[in-house]
Amino acid sequence: MSDTRIRLSVSDSGVAIVTMVRADKHNALDKAMFEGLLEAADRLATERTVRAVVLHGEGRSFCSGLDISSFLADSAGGIDALFAREDGRLANFAQRAAYDWSGVPVPVIAAITGSCFGGGMQIALGADIRIAAPDAQLSLMEVKWGLVPDMAITQSLPRVMRIDVAKELTFTGRIVSGLEASSLGLVTRTAEDPLSAALELADEIAGKSPDAIRAAKRLYDETWSGGDTADALALESRLQLGLLGTPNQVTAVAAGVSGRAPTFTDPA
């Protein structure tokens, strides 16, 4: 993993920490930052020892959004590079920075401090869980620049809030605090130290059966926004049958009965 924009580490408990490293620019998104996020998501999508992911920004802010000037100054593609789509990919280059976290089979937790604007807000929405500082500032800010949110917002925002609230935030681009964001559903909850809270939650998740956690994420991601009821119900049964009697499921039962801490194996 390149140290230019993204730092990735994995703890002994299987918690991966993905850090956006551009504190002097409030972790604004230039091409290198996009590339680093895509590389990290690609790696974590296939890393069997990872059981939870924490995504955060170094310094005061999570991510202040797109660094437009860096793309305008880029002679190799510029803004057009954001819309490039590789063969076989649903999402384009920019969309993948948010959408690809759904392809990571374990929970992704965003720890939000300071500014979380525009593209940064959409990356946070790509996570499964968002923990924000009460005084964090969050905004779907694209309308300020005469634009619409376009980093997989159609796949993330409908899962967390009503359409009228989403429209108000998008039409105005207004900045909301972490506290208000929590009341609106834009974030999961607040904490005075979001990174510590995210790491604590990740460690708790990492202590559960990794097979069950991966199955639960898949179950909700594939069914939450509606679709075919019969397919959804069938997926519940198929995932459950795939867990019953497996070594990690047996370990979970034994631990629950005995009261001893379980020791799970990484998924095959």
Side-chain angles (χ1 to χ4, degrees), residues 41-57:
D42 272 349
R43 173 179 164 183
L44 294 171
T46 58
E47 182 54 71
R48 310 303 290 182
T49 63
V50 169
R51 300 188 180 185
V53 177
V54 172
L55 174 63
H56 75 115

Side-chain angles (χ1 to χ4, degrees), residues 161-200:
M161 63 173 46
R162 302 192 322 251
I163 188 172
D164 58 328
V165 179
K167 285 180 176 179
E168 182 206 353
L169 294 178
T170 303
F171 295 162
T172 63
R174 71 182 181 92
I175 297 171
V176 300
S177 69
L179 283 174
E180 184 177 1
S182 179
S183 71
L184 295 174
L186 199 59
V187 301
T188 310
R189 58 182 169 94
T190 61
E192 291 297 331
D193 186 341
L195 180 56
S196 292
L199 290 170
E200 182 179 353

Side-chain angles (χ1 to χ4, degrees), residues 68-233:
I68 296 177
S69 61
S70 73
F71 282 93
L72 293 177
D74 184 359
S75 59
I79 292 293
D80 289 343
L82 294 171
F83 298 93
R85 180 178 284 102
E86 295 179 8
D87 289 344
R89 295 273 190 185
L90 289 175
N92 65 31
F93 180 76
Q95 290 167 337
R96 286 182 57 201
Y99 184 73
D100 280 10
W101 300 108
S102 65
V104 176
V106 300
V108 178
I109 307 165
I112 302 169
T113 56
S115 300
C116 184
F117 297 155
M121 183 71 255
Q122 293 177 82
I123 289 170
L125 284 165
D128 300 287
I129 298 166
R130 285 159 297 285
I131 302 176
D135 62 351
Q137 295 188 309
L138 305 93
S139 173
L140 292 165
M141 195 172 275
E142 283 76 9
V143 72
K144 178 179 179 179
W145 313 110
L147 301 169
V148 298
D150 68 339
M151 287 172 56
I153 195 73
T154 56
Q155 305 306 301
S156 59
L157 203 56
R159 299 187 178 205
V160 300
M161 63 173 46
R162 302 192 322 251
I163 188 172
D164 58 328
V165 179
K167 285 180 176 179
E168 182 206 353
L169 294 178
T170 303
F171 295 162
T172 63
R174 71 182 181 92
I175 297 171
V176 300
S177 69
L179 283 174
E180 184 177 1
S182 179
S183 71
L184 295 174
L186 199 59
V187 301
T188 310
R189 58 182 169 94
T190 61
E192 291 297 331
D193 186 341
L195 180 56
S196 292
L199 290 170
E200 182 179 353
L201 176 58
D203 277 331
E204 180 180 355
I205 292 170
K208 302 295 192 295
S209 167
D211 298 329
I213 293 296
R214 287 168 178 250
K217 176 167 177 173
R218 180 185 170 192
L219 177 64
Y220 286 160
D221 281 355
E222 293 187 15
T223 63
W224 198 261
S225 296
D228 187 276
T229 300
D231 286 347
L233 293 174

Side-chain angles (χ1 to χ4, degrees), residues 241-259:
L241 288 169
L243 293 171
L244 284 169
T246 59
N248 279 338
Q249 195 267 323
V250 172
T251 296
V253 172
V257 171
S258 67

Side-chain angles (χ1 to χ4, degrees), residues 1 7-19 40 43-44 47-54 106 199 203 206 266:
M1 183 59 56
R7 185 169 59 247
L8 193 159
S9 62
V10 181
S11 71
D12 292 340
S13 63
V15 174
I17 304 173
V18 179
T19 308
R43 173 179 164 183
L44 294 171
E47 182 54 71
R48 310 303 290 182
T49 63
V50 169
R51 300 188 180 185
V53 177
V54 172
V106 300
L199 290 170
D203 277 331
D266 294 325

